[in-house]
Structure formats: C-alpha cells, structure tokens
Amino acid sequence: MDQDKLNALRATYENSSGDDVSGKFAKVIEAVYDAPGERSLPYAGIPTLLDTPIAESAAGLDVALLGAPMDLGVTNRPGARFGPRALRAIERVGPYNHVLDVVPTSELRCADIGDVPFRSRYSLEESLEDIEAFVHDVVGAGAKPLTAGGDHSISYPILKAVGSDRANGPVGLLHIDAHCDTQGAFDGSKFHHGAPFRLATLDGVIDPERTVQVGIRGSAEFAWEFSYAAGMTVIHIEDFAAAGVDAVIEQCRGVLGEGPVYVSIDVDGIDPAFTPGTGTPEVGGLTPREVQALLHGMAGMEVVGGDVVEVAPQYDPSTNTAHVAAQMMFEVLSLMALGPVAQ
Ligand code: MN
Ligand code: MN
C-alpha cells in the first residue's frame, strides 16, 4: 500500500468508533449498541428467544416467539421440555442475516411472549389443547407463531391453530427431520412425537401434496407409510446427498408452490455430531450448513409459522445443539421478514 492510501485510511478510521457505520448496517448498530460507543452485554439481562423484547401477548406483533416446554410425547429419551430455556440462553445469533441481507428484528415487530401456560405437567392431551389455545390467540392477533419446543408433538396443535385460522385453507409444510412423524397410534396414544403430521393431514390443516420432508433416515422407516399414501414428498438423506442442496431447493420450491408455508425443524434432522442434545438421534444426517442453505433457498415464500423442536439440552454439555437450534430459528424469522407480513 502506498503512503497516500495509508494516510487516507488513518484520516478516516484512526479515531472512529465501532458504531460509526452507515447504510444498511445502521439497523444492526441500533440492535447491538446500547448507547454511542457502548455495546450491550450478550451474557447479561433477562434472556429471551433471539434476544427479542418481552411482550405480554401477541397483540401488535408480526411474529410472536414462544416456548412450548413439554415433552410428554417422546417415545424414547425425555428432556425437550428444557428446550425453550436452552434456546433463550443462546446469544449472538443475528441480528443481521448476511446471506438474505436482512435484519429481521428491525423489519418485523417481534417479541418473546413467554411459554405456553400448561394446566398439567402430567397430561399430554391437555397440554396439546393448551398449546392450540395459546397459538390460536397468537394467530387471532394477526401474528405468526415461531415456537421453541418441546418435543415434536407440539406441531400438531400449532398447525391446528395456524392451518384452520387461515382464509386460504390448509398450509404447505417444509419439514426437516430424521423422521417423517406420520406414524399411527401405539401404546394407547396417537398424539406422540412420531405422529403430528399424520394428525394435521387428517384434520385438513396441512396439505400433504404441498408437504416435503427432508433428511429422513434411521430405524423407523417402517412407520412412514402414511406419508406416501397421503402424497407427501419424502427426501431421504442419501437422496439429498446425491442430488445436492441446489436440486433439493428446486424440488422443495416446486412442491411448496406459491401458498402459505409452515416450517418445522426437528434438530434430529441434523447429524448428531452437531446436535447430540436430542431424544432420538440418528447417525448420518444433514449438516447445519445444508439446512441453512435449504432455508435460504426458500426466500420469498410466505412463511406463516415455524418451530424448532426436540432440543434436549441435558445430553449436550457443549450447548451446541441449542446454538444450532437458535440459528435455525433465526433463519426462519429471516424468511418471515422477507415474505409478506401479516396485516
Ligand atoms: Mn420429529
Ligand atoms: Mn425426529
């Protein structure tokens, strides 16, 4: 570098502050600086989902972030009831999404409205009713729900609230998971975490022909006949690997089409090397980068709700599982910011 250029750099930057930033990053600076020259502490204060403000209800919001700390639907290892708290403890996710070039928390009125109030810690059926009622109020207020689970059984009552309240009928579904979660009843319950998308289809709140399930693998293949019978698109992990992410994006966009889409992300869809903190891990899964790329490929879709489920933090002392889950929640929020906003 010649001396003139160095002198020019010194003149501009030698005494400038870290928040002396203009253009599109002004909104980022607003979010991460408390006052001129003073950044807020990421590890202090009351933790919330994606560091959003706290709100009493969804009134006046575009997106309501909420927790559903309930894991009465698991078929194996419990612990996803601790998922929302684990996600709230994660910091430094966002506020700027450099791939989608958006600061979703600036574009959307969004807040953490807390956890679903459950009547009983013992009853799966009552808990699902509680979730439906809570999310029904969110949707009724004109906000989109973005939920931290909880096990995957929570998606059924959420979809009942989202899919039945919309003028345009059943919603499309982008579902990332090792499991199709379309199994029938066993051990006396049809509401377990391996069943929400069978139930939502039968209730007419998701359109199976606008449903794509990505990352499928593992020992439960025998249980997914319903997905094929209903006309869902099932993309196994080996097909994903063979086709590549760009081709899968094309396929997903083709299946999901133009209408409203709900995004449901089970962290066990990702390889347990990245997300070991989950109840039913399956070896040989997606990388977080692949899931991010897939989600980025959905930009422009009308995402009407989403969830990130099955974070059971006690199996992951590294906290990486919760970190990955919070990042995915941020990616879904970014998609909501790019799509049409609820009025
Ligand atoms: Mn699942
Ligand atoms: Mn799963």
Side-chain angles (χ1 to χ4, degrees):
M1 180 183 282
D2 67 37
Q3 194 60 38
D4 286 347
K5 277 188 182 170
L6 182 56
N7 287 341
L9 274 178
R10 283 174 173 160
T12 305
Y13 292 108
E14 207 161 34
N15 295 307
S16 75
S17 158
D19 56 343
D20 189 10
V21 176
S22 59
K24 67 185 180 187
F25 291 118
K27 287 173 177 172
V28 184
I29 295 301
E30 224 170 82
V32 297
Y33 279 77
D34 271 348
E38 291 175 19
R39 289 186 64 173
S40 39
L41 304 176
Y43 45 83
I46 298 169
T48 60
L49 294 166
L50 298 181
D51 207 21
T52 51
I54 295 169
E56 294 297 315
S57 78
L61 299 179
D62 298 312
V63 179
L65 294 90
L66 62 129
M70 194 285 294
D71 60 10
L72 294 170
V74 299
T75 54
N76 191 30
R77 305 193 302 191
R81 68 181 60 182
F82 300 109
R85 285 204 163 175
L87 262 71
R88 288 190 174 102
I90 298 298
E91 298 291 345
R92 297 189 67 263
V93 171
Y96 178 57
N97 189 319
H98 84 273
V99 178
L100 298 176
D101 189 23
V102 67
V103 182
T105 48
S106 298
E107 302 301 320
L108 299 164
R109 295 164 293 178
C110 47
D112 185 336
I113 63 166
D115 292 332
V116 174
F118 291 111
R119 284 169 292 170
S120 168
R121 75 194 67 193
Y122 303 118
S123 168
L124 171 60
E125 289 77 4
E126 277 189 24
S127 296
L128 298 182
E129 288 171 9
D130 294 338
I131 293 168
E132 183 180 351
F134 193 72
V135 177
H136 192 270
D137 288 347
V138 169
V139 177
K144 300 172 176 182
L146 183 51
T147 308
D151 73 56
H152 221 154
S153 68
I154 69 162
S155 296
Y156 171 50
I158 295 170
L159 283 165
K160 278 170 87 175
V162 170
S164 63
D165 278 36
R166 293 191 61 82
N168 31 6
V171 297
L173 175 70
L174 173 62
H175 172 208
I176 292 159
D177 204 321
H179 315 98
C180 289
D181 293 352
T182 50
Q183 193 175 10
F186 67 98
D187 293 355
S189 178
K190 65 176 182 180
F191 296 110
H192 55 82
H193 74 158
F197 305 115
R198 179 191 189 109
L199 300 169
T201 300
L202 294 175
D203 274 17
V205 293
I206 62 170
D207 181 350
E209 295 175 355
R210 291 184 59 233
T211 291
V212 58
Q213 307 186 290
V214 185
I216 308 305
R217 62 190 187 277
S219 59
E221 189 67 33
F222 67 91
W224 314 138
E225 179 185 290
F226 182 88
S227 287
Y228 302 103
M232 295 177 177
T233 299
V234 179
I235 302 178
H236 286 89
I237 192 67
E238 64 276 11
D239 298 327
F240 187 106
V245 67
D246 290 341
V248 172
I249 288 168
E250 279 302 300
Q251 190 178 2
C252 289
R253 292 193 74 102
V255 172
L256 296 168
E258 295 298 315
V261 172
Y262 186 87
V263 179
S264 187
I265 301 172
D266 183 331
V267 293
D268 72 29
I270 296 163
D271 193 90
F274 304 100
T275 52
T278 195
T280 43
E282 303 283 2
V283 168
L286 297 160
T287 67
R289 197 164 59 188
E290 286 169 334
V291 177
Q292 284 176 287
L294 180 61
L295 293 172
H296 296 154
M298 300 303 118
M301 283 197 177
E302 187 193 356
V303 176
V304 294
D307 58 52
V308 182
V309 300
E310 299 284 355
V311 173
Q314 66 275 30
Y315 306 116
D316 179 8
S318 79
T319 74
N320 283 346
T321 306
H323 204 142
V324 169
Q327 182 68 43
M328 297 312 163
M329 184 172 249
F330 176 69
E331 303 293 356
V332 176
L333 185 66
S334 299
L335 290 177
M336 289 173 166
L338 295 175
V341 172
Q343 296 302 309

